[in-house]
Amino acid sequence: MPLIKCFTSKAVLDEDWNEISKVVEKSVGPEPFLQDELKVSHFKDYDLYQYIEEIEEITMRAEKKMGLAEKLKAMREEMKGFELVQGEYKGLMLKIVGFDDINAKLDDQIVATQAMLGSSFMKGRLKAETKTWETKLNFMSELMEEILKVQRTWMYLEPIFGSGDIMQTMPLEGKMFNAVDALWRNTMKGIEDE
């Protein structure tokens, strides 16, 4: 029964079959083990009974990897529904709100990803995919920090340069602010339209 459980596990992938092949010193693959008619003779033909412990260990690792892969998939799905929320600012335009919620979600994802990468079962293609996900999360986190800095600075400068007196006193700086202001408003409008 332990061999049947191992050889019918959906968690056992090609890299695991290769590992089993090395242990039993024969080329072993999912056929005939994953066919509808699994026979005890298949185990006898391959003389697999003497390798039960090693095969169970490989299967256990494959199932742990599968659990990590499913967690990574769930994390990606969660972030697909992630949206930037905008609120009105002085009736002029929209600004991004809820930075604390955004950062909390990103931080949770980053911590979970790093914990997954610390697992001894994280190997091969899954490890590469998880590292790529971690890089994307870190990039999103840094991007959100930069957007928050720009938004805060804009909110500080907008009332200053909104005054006609300042524009006359500092025309060059006022022109520079107007260029940034136009870019910022278009960017926020672009987020709203998406």
Side-chain angles (χ1 to χ4, degrees), residues 100-142:
D100 291 340
D101 294 339
I102 295 167
N103 287 332
K105 182 177 266 195
L106 287 169
D107 287 346
D108 288 348
Q109 287 255 339
I110 290 168
V111 168
T113 303
Q114 289 171 343
M116 289 170 58
L117 285 168
S119 170
S120 61
F121 303 106
M122 184 64 67
K123 294 183 178 162
R125 183 177 54 94
L126 179 59
K127 186 172 187 173
E129 287 177 12
T130 307
K131 280 184 174 276
T132 300
W133 182 244
E134 179 189 32
T135 301
K136 287 179 181 180
L137 289 170
N138 284 323
F139 177 74
M140 283 190 280
S141 180
E142 290 171 17

Side-chain angles (χ1 to χ4, degrees), residues 1 35 37 42 46-48 68 77 90 96 101 116-117 120 130 141 147 152 154 168 188 194:
M1 288 306 288
Q35 293 176 351
E37 294 184 24
H42 294 133
Y46 285 89
D47 197 25
L48 298 175
L68 290 169
E77 288 299 316
K90 292 186 177 182
I96 297 174
D101 294 339
M116 289 170 58
L117 285 168
S120 61
T130 307
S141 180
I147 289 172
R152 282 183 184 152
W154 180 86
Q168 288 176 354
M188 290 297 102
E194 288 180 6

Side-chain angles (χ1 to χ4, degrees), residues 15 52 63 74 77 101 104 113 127 142 158 160 185:
E15 59 193 42
I52 290 176
E63 288 172 352
E77 288 299 316
D101 294 339
T113 303
K127 186 172 187 173
E142 290 171 17
E158 190 276 329
I160 294 170
R185 288 174 188 264

Side-chain angles (χ1 to χ4, degrees), residues 22 36 39 51 132 145-146 148 151-152 161 168:
K22 286 178 187 173
D36 291 337
K39 298 178 183 172
Y51 303 105
T132 300
E145 285 298 318
E146 291 303 315
L148 179 58
Q151 183 169 285
R152 282 183 184 152
F161 284 100
Q168 288 176 354

